[in-house]
């Protein structure tokens, strides 16, 4: 997934902000995949280390928000400019199948190694239970399916449509509160957030998607900054309530809130993403620090390789017990090897149109762009 792709092909987007803005979003995605892999590597090698858990929990909100930004930039803005909708639908369907396929491969790997039992793995493959280290791929696949089915409405209404879907989810969750216990079927929890055991559920997660779409619409000058600002203010109000019992308690609640789809989780996700983005924008404008942003952006352009390949290997490893120091060493070595391989991929000769400015990101290009750059 690469944001720079959306700046190629078609008519020039003179209203799109400078390329540094895209680098920042790539960097956010790079940091998100780093946090996600740190969390998964910790589970595999150092399961009793929980210090970074509140920080790594920001990875999923960041993935979904950036997904929303890129849907607007790579698909919806081009469709409003006259791109053929049939081609967009075909490309979105391919992306959906790719995500489902990668989810299935990672789940099968966990079954082969014994990290998931045969019954657990079968339920995960059937969508009736969670996988292992692969949940964001299932979320992506379902988000792509929603975009595919409602594509004309997405083009017309954008973030407001998604806010309506989020409101539906919050309404259903509110109506069911107290009338259903925590033993509701997994599928119901997965889609609506009713009950406990999975988060972020699909309909409540539309809150993150709406925020990302709203940011993308600001970047394409479709709308003003009012909607993102309102969502940030609402998140701040919710967070202020969460902090009323102290910072440490709020941190513990944030970790637990994911599995109950509590509004506090979504508030922290939006504000955390905003704070990370602002920080990286400042870093990008600081001459002696901007190499940090560039490095994270390179990782962001290889996010599918890092997430898919890294979790495939982790799921192929059998479960074992090891001393914390040795586990930490293995975890560090694994992360260095994984990100080193990703950085090597970015240094391969470019095969795309020169204006894309992307090297070694062919899989990511096919993942998000549905129009090829026009050669001069």
């Amino acid at each position: 997934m690469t944001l720079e792709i959306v700046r190629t092909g078609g008519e020039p987007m003179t209203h799109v902000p400078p390329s540094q803005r895209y680098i920042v979003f790539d960097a956010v995605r790079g940091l998100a995949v780093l946090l996600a892999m740190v969390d998964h590597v910790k589970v595999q090698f150092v399961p009793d280390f929980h210090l970074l858990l509140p920080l790594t929990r920001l990875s999923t909100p960041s993935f979904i928000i950036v997904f929303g930004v890129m849907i607007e930039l790579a698909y919806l803005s081009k469709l409003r400019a006259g791109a053929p909708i049939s081609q967009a639908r075909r490309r979105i369907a391919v992306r959906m199948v790719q995500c489902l396929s990668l989810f299935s491969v990672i789940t099968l790997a966990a079954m082969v190694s014994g990290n998931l039992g045969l019954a657990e793995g079968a339920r995960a493959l059937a969508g009736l239970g969670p996988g292992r280290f692969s949940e964001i791929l299932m979320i992506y696949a379902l988000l792509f399916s929603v975009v595919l089915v409602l594509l004309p409405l997405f083009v017309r209404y954008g973030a407001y449509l998604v806010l309506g879907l989020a409101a539906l989810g919050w309404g259903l969750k509110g109506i069911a509160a107290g009338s259903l216990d925590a033993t509701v079927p997994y599928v119901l929890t997965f889609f609506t957030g009713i009950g406990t055991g999975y988060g972020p559920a699909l309909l409540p997660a539309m809150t993150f998607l709406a925020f990302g779409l709203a940011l993308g619409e600001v970047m394409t000058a479709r709308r003003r900054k009012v909607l993102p600002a309102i969502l940030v203010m609402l998140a701040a109000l919710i967070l202020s309530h969460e902090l009323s019992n102290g910072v440490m308690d709020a941190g513990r609640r944030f970790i637990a809130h994911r599995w109950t789809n509590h509004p506090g989780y979504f508030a922290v996700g939006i504000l955390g993403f905003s704070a990370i983005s602002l920080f990286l924008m400042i870093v990008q404008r600081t001459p002696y620090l901007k190499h940090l942003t560039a490095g994270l952006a390179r990782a962001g352009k290889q996010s599918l390789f890092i997430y898919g390949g890294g979790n495939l290997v982790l799921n192929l490893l059998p479960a074992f017990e090891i001393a914390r120091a040795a586990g930490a060493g293995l975890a560090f070595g694994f992360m260095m090897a994984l990100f080193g391989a990703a950085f090597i991929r970015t240094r391969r000769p470019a095969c795309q149109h020169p204006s894309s400015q992307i090297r070694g990101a062919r899989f990511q290009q096919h993942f998000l762009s549905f129009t090829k750059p026009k050669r001069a």
Side-chain angles (χ1 to χ4, degrees):
M1 297 178 289
T2 307
L3 279 170
E4 294 291 338
I5 294 170
V6 302
R7 306 188 68 218
T8 65
E11 296 299 321
M13 295 177 63
T14 57
H15 53 273
V16 174
S19 61
Q20 285 79 3
R21 305 283 181 87
Y22 297 100
I23 292 174
V24 166
F25 278 108
D26 270 336
V28 171
R29 190 173 60 251
L31 181 59
V33 76
L34 172 63
L35 292 175
M37 292 310 302
V38 165
D39 185 62
H40 296 173
V41 167
K42 176 197 75 67
V43 172
Q44 182 69 32
F45 296 113
V46 202
D48 60 343
F49 182 74
H50 305 296
L51 181 62
L52 299 177
L53 194 56
L55 185 60
T56 59
R57 281 289 181 260
L58 292 174
S59 59
T60 298
S62 298
F63 275 133
I64 299 175
I65 293 171
V66 173
F67 180 93
V69 174
M70 299 173 78
I71 287 295
E72 165 62 23
L73 297 178
Y75 292 95
L76 305 184
S77 63
K78 291 186 176 183
L79 288 172
R80 290 194 297 269
I85 195 170
S86 59
Q87 189 177 17
R89 282 176 168 151
R90 184 171 62 253
R91 296 295 186 179
I92 291 171
V94 170
R95 313 315 177 239
M96 179 182 67
V97 172
Q98 286 174 340
C99 290
L100 284 174
S101 299
L102 189 53
F103 173 86
S104 300
V105 169
I106 293 175
T107 302
L108 288 171
M111 295 169 66
V112 168
S113 65
N115 285 303
L116 281 179
L118 293 179
E120 291 177 300
R123 284 197 299 271
L125 291 172
L128 301 176
R132 185 175 189 263
F133 303 159
S134 56
E135 296 308 295
I136 192 62
L137 295 169
M138 179 60 75
I139 294 174
Y140 271 175
L142 289 172
L143 291 177
F144 271 125
S145 69
V146 172
V147 174
L148 180 63
V149 172
L150 302 178
L151 188 55
L153 296 178
F154 267 83
V155 173
R156 183 169 182 178
Y157 299 108
Y160 290 108
L161 170 68
V162 182
L163 275 179
L165 295 175
L168 173 63
W170 291 115
L172 291 173
K173 187 171 172 60
I175 292 171
S179 60
L180 294 175
D181 58 26
T183 61
V184 298
Y186 172 84
V187 173
L188 182 62
T189 301
F190 182 90
F191 281 98
T192 67
I194 297 172
T196 61
Y198 187 86
L202 184 63
L203 285 177
M206 293 294 171
T207 307
F208 291 142
L209 182 61
F211 184 63
L213 278 171
L215 291 176
E217 289 172 348
V218 170
M219 295 174 69
T220 57
R222 188 186 184 210
R223 304 190 197 278
R224 298 183 179 181
K225 301 176 182 178
V226 176
L227 182 55
I230 290 175
L231 292 175
V232 168
M233 288 189 291
L234 287 174
L237 287 174
I238 295 172
L239 179 60
S240 65
H241 179 268
E242 291 292 299
L243 291 173
S244 61
N245 294 321
V247 175
M248 294 301 296
D249 184 66
R252 288 189 291 268
R253 287 164 61 86
F254 168 63
I255 295 171
H257 282 341
R258 172 176 179 173
W259 310 114
T260 61
N261 289 279
H262 189 280
Y265 171 76
F266 295 86
V268 174
I270 288 174
L271 293 175
F273 173 88
S274 302
I276 290 171
S277 300
L278 180 60
F279 171 75
L280 291 176
M281 287 179 66
I282 295 172
V283 169
Q284 175 62 19
R285 296 177 181 179
T286 306
Y288 54 88
L289 291 177
K290 65 180 182 179
H291 294 296
L292 172 62
T293 311
L296 288 172
R298 288 177 64 184
K301 293 174 181 179
Q302 293 291 324
S303 58
L304 282 182
F305 170 79
I306 294 171
Y307 191 91
N311 287 311
L312 178 62
V313 173
L314 287 177
N315 272 331
L316 285 172
L317 295 176
F320 56 85
E321 293 185 4
I322 190 172
R324 176 182 281 193
L330 287 174
F332 180 78
F334 181 88
M335 293 293 290
M336 291 295 293
L338 178 61
F339 278 79
F343 275 56
I344 290 173
R345 284 171 56 86
T346 66
R347 298 180 64 86
R348 294 184 307 177
C351 298
Q352 296 87 21
H353 189 277
S355 64
S356 69
Q357 298 297 313
I358 299 170
R359 298 180 181 274
R362 286 173 293 182
F363 187 78
Q364 285 84 348
Q365 181 183 33
H366 290 302
F367 189 78
L368 272 186
S369 80
F370 60 84
T371 57
K372 294 183 179 179
K374 295 181 179 180
R375 297 185 181 273

